[in-house]
Amino acid sequence: MAAEIVNPRSDSESRTGHEEQDGGAEPLESFDPAFALHRGGKMAVQATVPLRDKDDLSLAYTPGVAKVCSAIAEQPDLVHDYTWKSSVVAVVTDGTAVLGLGDIGPGASLPVMEGKAILFKQFGGVDAVPLALDCTDVDEIVETVVRLAPSFGGVNLEDISAPRCFEIEQRLQELLDIPVFHDDQHGTAVVSLAALRNAARLSGRSLGELRAVISGAGAAGVAIAKMLVEAGIGDIAVADRRGVVSRDREDLTPVKREVARFTNKAGLSGSLEDALAGADVFIGVSGGTVAEAAVASMAEGAFVFAMANPDPEVHPEIAHKYAAVVATGRSDFPNQINNVLAFPGIFAGALQVRASRITEGMKLAAAEALAAVVGDDLAPDYVIPSPFDERVAPAVTAAVAAAARAEGVARR
C-alpha cells in the first residue's frame, strides 16, 4: 500500500457533497482555493499489488497471507521484507505547536500532518501516515507511540510544543529501535547549517571564524545551537524573551541550563540586541521584530537568517542594507530555509539501511550533502538549493545511509 499524492475525489464530487450537506450553501472553496485543494484531504491509500480475480485475492489475503504471517512469527526481521514497515514513517503530533498557529489541537493539525506526509512521498519516496493524538501528557504520548511502533519503520515527531518535545523524543529514542526524529528541531538545524556553510564559503571564512546569535530558545533554536557547536562554530549565543541565555541567569529551565553550558563562550549577557553588536550571524526562529539599529550593529559582511513565518524577524529589504547573505523561511524570497530539503532524504537514507536511530553524524552528513548540491553556482542569493532541485533528496539519502553505516547503526 502507498500514500497517494492526489485528492481521491474529483472536484465535482467534492462540491456536490458539500452542497447536499449544507442544504445548498455555497462551499468555502468558492472563496479560497486552499479549501478546494484540501477538500476530502490530500491523501489516499493505494494498493501496490493487483487484485483482479480470486487467485490474486488468495495471495494478497487468505490463505496466502497466512504463510507470510507464520514466517514473520518465526523470523521477526522478515517483517521489513514482507510488509511496508521498512518504507513507512508515522508523522505524529498532538497539535500543540502547529506552524505559526500554536496550540490548535489534533483535529485542526491534521491538514498539516497530511501535508507533511505527501512531502515525504513527493520528495523522498517515503510513505507516511499522519497520526494526530488526542493527548498532551508526555507519558501518554510516549506510551501511545511505543504501542504503534511495530507498524512503522520510523517516527517523525511534528508540531509538539517545547519543552515536552525534548523529553518525548529522548524517551522514544531510548525505547524504540527505529529512527525517531523531531523535525521542528533537527530538520531546521540541518538546513540552517547547510546554508551557513555555504554563506561562510562565499565569504572565504570557516565556521570557526563566526560568532552567531540565535533568537529563540525553543525546539528549533536549541537544536540549531547544538548542531552549530557540533559543526565547529566559533561562538554562539542564544536569546529568549528575557535576553541572552547565560550561566548567571537563575530563571532557566533545565533545557536552557544545558544550552548555557555549551554556548556563549564570550560570557555575554543582556538583550538580543546587545548580543548582535559585532556578531557575524543572526538566526531567527522566534518571531517578533529585531530593530534595524541592532542589525546595523552587526559585523561587516554579516549573514541574516530571519526564518519566522509569515513575517521574518528582519525584513529582507532591511537585512540587505547590512548583510552579505539573507535567508528567510518564505518561498517568495531567495535562500528559503525549508525543512523539506532535509527530512525526506534523512528518513529515506535511514530506512534504506534499516538504521536503528538517527545520529548526530547522520544529521551533519545531511547538512554537508545539502550544501554540496549548490556547488560552483554559489551566490549571495543562492546558498541553499530549491526543494524542487531533483539532486537534493538523492544526495541527502546517500550521505545519511553512508553515515549510518560508518557509525554502526545500519542493519543492512
Side-chain angles (χ1 to χ4, degrees):
M1 303 172 74
E4 185 83 3
I5 307 177
V6 297
N7 191 316
R9 306 176 189 174
S10 71
D11 188 60
S12 60
E13 288 171 334
S14 298
R15 289 176 182 271
T16 301
H18 186 278
E19 289 168 357
E20 289 175 352
Q21 182 180 3
D22 290 351
E26 192 169 5
L28 290 170
E29 50 261 43
S30 298
F31 306 98
D32 191 330
F35 284 94
L37 184 141
H38 285 79
R39 164 72 67 180
K42 300 189 290 292
M43 300 173 60
V45 173
Q46 176 180 306
T48 59
V49 298
L51 202 60
R52 300 159 300 193
D53 51 36
K54 65 181 181 62
D55 292 332
D56 289 343
L57 181 60
S58 68
L59 287 173
Y61 200 52
T62 185
V65 73
K67 298 177 183 179
V68 181
C69 292
S70 297
I72 293 172
E74 293 177 8
Q75 301 181 57
D77 280 351
L78 291 178
V79 70
H80 297 280
D81 299 313
Y82 294 103
T83 72
W84 77 341
K85 180 181 174 73
S86 63
S87 61
V88 68
V89 170
V91 180
V92 179
T93 190
D94 63 358
T96 55
V98 178
L99 293 174
L101 303 176
D103 185 355
I104 60 175
S109 75
L110 197 54
V112 179
M113 301 310 114
E114 287 184 2
K116 196 81 174 189
I118 65 173
L119 294 179
F120 264 111
K121 185 66 173 179
Q122 180 70 31
F123 294 104
V126 174
D127 289 306
V129 177
L131 300 173
L133 306 183
D134 191 13
C135 59
T136 58
D137 178 78
V138 169
D139 292 335
E140 291 180 357
I141 291 174
V142 170
E143 181 181 5
T144 300
V145 175
V146 167
R147 292 183 184 279
L148 290 167
S151 296
F152 300 98
V155 175
N156 183 89
L157 300 172
E158 190 76 18
D159 293 348
I160 298 173
S161 64
R164 295 175 311 116
C165 60
F166 302 114
E167 182 180 355
I168 290 168
E169 182 188 46
Q170 180 180 354
R171 287 173 58 181
L172 287 173
Q173 288 173 338
E174 293 169 353
L175 291 168
L176 299 177
D177 66 346
I178 58 176
V180 177
F181 184 85
H182 184 210
D183 185 53
D184 299 326
Q185 294 184 58
H186 312 299
T188 306
V190 165
V191 183
S192 297
L193 173 58
L196 186 57
R197 280 193 182 281
N198 277 338
R201 179 164 70 94
L202 185 67
S203 67
R205 290 178 285 176
S206 68
L207 290 180
E209 298 175 73
L210 303 178
R211 179 171 73 84
V213 177
I214 296 177
S215 174
V222 170
I224 292 170
K226 288 181 178 179
M227 182 159 282
L228 292 185
V229 169
E230 187 75 20
I233 193 80
D235 195 11
I236 188 166
V238 179
D240 62 11
R241 290 184 180 88
R242 298 189 178 184
V244 175
V245 174
S246 58
R247 296 186 185 187
D248 60 351
R249 279 181 49 180
E250 298 180 355
D251 61 340
L252 300 180
T253 64
V255 170
K256 292 179 183 179
R257 282 198 297 271
E258 174 65 12
V259 170
R261 185 189 65 78
F262 66 81
T263 63
N264 197 14
K265 292 186 294 186
L268 300 176
S269 60
S271 68
L272 167 71
E273 287 76 12
D274 293 333
L276 279 176
D280 303 292
V281 184
F282 168 76
I283 298 175
V285 284
S286 65
T289 302
V290 176
E292 181 173 348
V295 181
S297 74
M298 295 177 68
E300 185 177 353
F303 313 139
V304 172
F305 293 2
M307 296 186 281
N309 268 316
D311 300 313
E313 294 88 349
V314 183
H315 193 279
E317 291 181 2
I318 294 175
H320 277 297
K321 294 180 182 180
Y322 312 101
V325 175
V326 177
T328 71
R330 290 173 46 157
S331 60
D332 54 346
F333 291 105
N335 296 328
Q336 183 190 19
I337 307 295
N338 191 329
N339 289 18
V340 76
L341 290 162
F343 69 81
I346 289 173
F347 268 99
L351 293 173
Q352 185 180 96
V353 298
R354 204 174 294 166
S356 59
R357 59 193 302 263
I358 294 173
T359 65
E360 289 303 311
M362 292 161 72
K363 289 181 279 187
L364 288 170
E368 291 171 5
L370 182 55
V373 170
V374 171
D376 294 336
D377 295 324
L378 181 65
D381 61 353
Y382 184 56
V383 297
I384 199 75
S386 162
F388 296 98
D389 188 323
E390 294 182 353
R391 299 171 297 171
V392 167
V396 173
T397 298
V400 169
R405 292 191 178 100
E407 298 207 339
V409 298
R411 288 177 287 196
R412 70 173 181 187

